[in-house]
Amino acid sequence: MGAKALGTLFFFLRGTPFIYQGQELGMKNFKRGTIADFNDVSSIDNYQRSMLEGYTSQEALEFVNQRSRDNSRTPFQWNSSETAGFSESTVPWLKLVGDHTTVNARVQLEKEDSVLCYYKKMIQLRNKSKYRETLIYGEFVPMNTTDHIIAYERIGRETIQVIINLSNQASLIEGLSGEILLNNYSEITYEKNGLTLQPYQALVLRKEENNG
């Protein structure tokens, strides 16, 4: 759910959304056990600088694992084969994350609730639906929420609200009502005075005109 929630957060902001190398599958950052597994010059340089500043090799490696650009450059995982369908070579130019037997495009194309199918729904809503003018060109207005809820409105011919719960706890959001355009859960918990968002739940809804 977290990958879908983060995707929803950025996808309906103003500007052109970029889908970068595996995020539409929910591919994860890797964690390497040696600096030799990195290809990025900046990562290798940061590792060496950390060592010169007195950090241990393990500490320096942890810094690089957290921040490396190579996290988003691992081979795209097309299928569950040994090289994830990325190459016929025995070893791709950069090691795989390691979860390609379950996280890959072939598997996700066959699952209606997959991250990949959710991205396709987001693209359809933003670019092909009757709300495209508002979602692409509409005004951006942030909404007042609690710390772990991020929400904003896109205002044009109608008002579209994007609400994301970025915590592992359910949270009541008061005053929400309208047509649900997108939901990363299979259902919605309605309350008398609003909606309860489940952990990492993301909603896109068309605000009712009389919803003050």
Side-chain angles (χ1 to χ4, degrees):
M1 288 302 173
K4 297 177 183 177
L6 290 172
T8 307
L9 173 61
F10 89 86
F11 206 81
F12 299 104
L13 294 167
R14 293 202 69 175
T16 302
F18 283 82
I19 301 173
Y20 192 74
Q21 201 161 326
Q23 70 187 61
E24 72 271 39
L25 302 181
M27 284 177 58
K28 302 176 180 65
N29 290 348
F30 62 36
K31 186 169 184 178
R32 303 306 192 200
T34 171
I35 194 63
D37 287 338
F38 289 87
N39 187 278
D40 176 37
V41 172
S42 176
S43 296
I44 296 170
D45 180 63
N46 287 333
Y47 175 85
Q48 294 171 342
R49 286 175 179 268
S50 296
M51 295 281 286
L52 289 173
E53 290 175 7
Y55 292 98
T56 67
S57 59
Q58 283 302 112
E59 289 172 330
L61 189 62
E62 184 64 24
F63 298 153
V64 175
N65 269 312
Q66 292 177 6
R67 298 173 176 83
S68 175
R69 295 179 296 186
D70 274 350
N71 281 321
S72 58
R73 293 170 171 171
T74 55
F76 188 87
Q77 297 170 183
W78 293 102
N79 57 43
S80 60
S81 65
E82 184 178 359
T83 57
F86 180 82
S87 170
E88 294 181 357
S89 171
T90 303
V91 180
W93 71 282
L94 195 63
K95 285 186 178 180
L96 298 168
V97 174
D99 60 359
H100 57 285
T101 57
T102 55
V103 180
N104 64 72
R106 180 172 294 174
V107 167
Q108 293 201 18
L109 281 170
E110 298 173 356
K111 295 177 62 178
E112 188 176 348
D113 64 345
S114 68
V115 177
L116 179 59
C117 287
Y118 186 80
Y119 265 81
K120 292 169 69 175
K121 291 176 183 178
M122 290 198 297
I123 293 170
Q124 178 68 25
L125 178 59
R126 185 184 185 277
N127 291 352
K128 302 293 184 180
S129 76
K130 62 182 179 181
Y131 305 113
R132 68 179 303 274
E133 292 294 320
T134 296
L135 290 171
I136 295 175
Y137 303 109
E139 181 184 359
F140 169 86
V141 178
M143 298 169 60
N144 292 324
T145 60
T146 58
D147 289 342
H148 57 278
I149 302 292
I150 295 182
Y152 56 87
E153 294 181 334
R154 300 300 308 278
I155 302 174
R157 296 175 181 173
E158 56 276 304
T159 297
I160 306 294
Q161 296 180 319
V162 181
I163 308 101
I164 302 99
N165 181 5
L166 290 179
S167 79
N168 60 0
Q169 302 293 321
S171 183
L172 171 65
I173 310 298
E174 297 183 351
L176 287 183
S177 62
E179 177 190 1
I180 302 297
L181 305 180
L182 193 64
N183 177 16
N184 67 339
Y185 271 66
S186 60
E187 55 188 39
I188 298 170
T189 306
Y190 290 96
E191 308 290 349
K192 183 178 180 180
N193 55 342
L195 301 172
T196 292
L197 291 186
Q198 300 305 316
Y200 306 107
Q201 185 168 13
L203 292 178
V204 180
L205 60 85
R206 181 185 59 80
K207 184 179 179 182
E208 291 183 347
E209 293 183 4
N210 63 351
N211 183 16

